[in-house]
Amino acid sequence: MRDLLVAAVSMHSEPGEVDKNLERMEFFVHEAAERSAGAVLFPELSISGYTLKEPEKIYDLNRSRRILEKIVRMAHDAKLIIMAGMVEIPPEGRPYISHAVAGPEGLLGLHRKTHLSPPEKEKYSEGDSLDVFHEKGVTFGLELCYESHFPEITTVLSLKGAEIIFMPHASPRGNPDEKMKSWLRHLPGRAFDSGVFVVACNQVGKNKEGLVFPGVIVALDPQGWILESWTGNEERMVFVELKTEVLKETRAHRMKYFIPHRRKELYRDPVS
């Protein structure tokens, strides 16, 4: 892994107001590039807005593809990694809650949310793969909001080489301090158990569907300690430096890095 300066954004996104949301994202990307960031993390469904009301009608397949092209151009022009959330419209079937990942050289891929919350299951399809992304010496994975409650996902991504897990959220309810306390119940465990950096951010503000998102950003080192954090009710971008030496120190220590000591033979039977 190389040292990576990450800009994590807590942003307000209105459902269906794609052009407005993209314009706001461009502002943050420009600022991140000015600060020499190597990656910008936007919240879940930051482009399309978080919606549970007929997401299949938010835009059509062609518009979905053009949004991806826009993110790729933004990443190319800014010369950094952009991770941004959108309703992905497939050629057929229900849409996905997806996160686009683009780098300076083009689209790195899409992560389709594999574990949907109960309300989301009524409107969206689930993704079926847990993949890592590679970009110039950095290997990372994504977990979208509800996915962060499943330790197995982080374990799988770590076994596939992930050094950083980015966790964009669109998590309503509660005030910012309450949401931060909630996150700190489980996110440090994801970092600590798998020896990975974790960076998480949430949407912020009340959208037109009546959902209120508390502004929260947190970055954790591979031991689960907080590197940077912020809570509030306005938009914010927080910068955090993820250092190679911190990851190496954790993974070189026989009592701090647990993944290599797993007894795989005990996990062969399926868990139901």
Side-chain angles (χ1 to χ4, degrees):
M1 174 181 161
R2 61 181 169 89
D3 290 351
L4 185 68
L5 181 63
V6 175
V9 181
S10 186
M11 174 184 157
H12 179 70
S13 299
E14 279 295 340
E17 297 186 11
V18 173
D19 291 336
K20 181 179 178 181
N21 296 337
L22 283 170
E23 182 180 354
R24 190 65 181 144
M25 288 170 61
E26 284 189 283
F27 169 82
F28 286 116
V29 168
H30 178 75
E31 184 178 341
E34 289 288 310
R35 292 277 299 272
S36 300
V40 184
L41 176 68
F42 288 101
E44 179 184 32
L45 295 182
S46 53
I47 300 169
S48 52
Y50 186 87
T51 180
L52 293 172
K53 296 180 179 179
E54 299 183 312
E56 70 281 359
K57 295 182 180 179
I58 197 165
Y59 40 67
D60 61 17
L61 175 60
N62 288 333
R63 178 64 163 148
S64 182
R65 289 170 174 167
R66 290 198 301 272
I67 288 169
L68 279 177
E69 292 170 358
K70 174 72 172 179
I71 295 301
V72 169
R73 287 196 301 271
M74 287 171 58
H76 175 268
D77 293 345
K79 297 180 174 56
L80 45 67
I81 300 166
I82 295 176
M83 293 164 280
M86 62 181 289
V87 173
E88 181 194 353
I89 304 297
E92 57 184 38
R94 292 191 297 183
Y96 296 97
I97 296 176
S98 295
H99 224 72
V101 183
E105 305 303 321
L107 184 68
L108 299 179
L110 283 164
H111 172 68
R112 292 171 170 170
K113 193 172 185 178
T114 60
H115 292 62
L116 300 174
S117 69
E120 292 168 351
K121 286 183 179 181
E122 300 173 6
K123 301 293 183 177
Y124 294 94
S125 295
E126 291 181 321
D128 291 323
S129 63
L130 297 172
D131 299 315
V132 295
F133 302 90
H134 308 275
E135 174 63 21
K136 295 183 178 178
V138 178
T139 303
F140 58 94
L142 280 161
E143 297 180 28
L144 303 186
C145 199
Y146 194 69
E147 289 182 307
S148 67
H149 292 285
F150 298 87
E152 301 93 330
I153 297 177
T154 311
T155 300
V156 169
L157 294 174
S158 179
L159 289 169
K160 289 185 174 183
E163 299 150 328
I164 310 164
I165 306 295
F166 293 104
M167 297 185 176
H169 286 63
S171 182
R173 291 177 292 277
N175 63 46
D177 289 338
E178 290 169 342
K179 184 63 67 177
M180 177 65 81
K181 288 178 182 178
S182 175
W183 282 13
L184 293 181
R185 291 166 61 192
H186 63 288
L187 297 192
R190 303 296 91 82
F192 179 74
D193 290 343
S194 292
V196 293
F197 289 104
V198 166
V199 182
C201 62
N202 198 28
Q203 285 198 29
V204 66
K206 183 177 181 178
N207 71 17
K208 61 187 180 184
E209 293 191 8
L211 295 172
V212 181
F213 300 93
V216 186
I217 297 171
V218 67
L220 306 163
D221 75 5
Q223 285 291 289
W225 300 116
I226 296 175
L227 294 171
E228 297 286 348
S229 66
W230 170 84
T231 57
N233 292 305
E234 70 280 358
E235 291 186 321
R236 182 65 62 94
M237 181 162 60
V238 171
F239 291 85
V240 58
E241 184 85 39
L242 306 184
K243 292 281 193 178
T244 305
E245 62 187 42
V246 174
L247 183 73
K248 286 183 176 178
E249 191 278 331
T250 295
R251 294 192 171 185
H253 196 295
R254 65 178 184 174
M255 297 300 290
K256 292 182 179 180
Y257 188 37
F258 308 105
I259 291 291
H261 305 293
R262 293 168 63 253
R263 291 186 58 196
K264 293 179 286 186
E265 70 274 12
L266 299 180
Y267 310 136
R268 287 175 182 164
D269 293 332
V271 177
S272 59

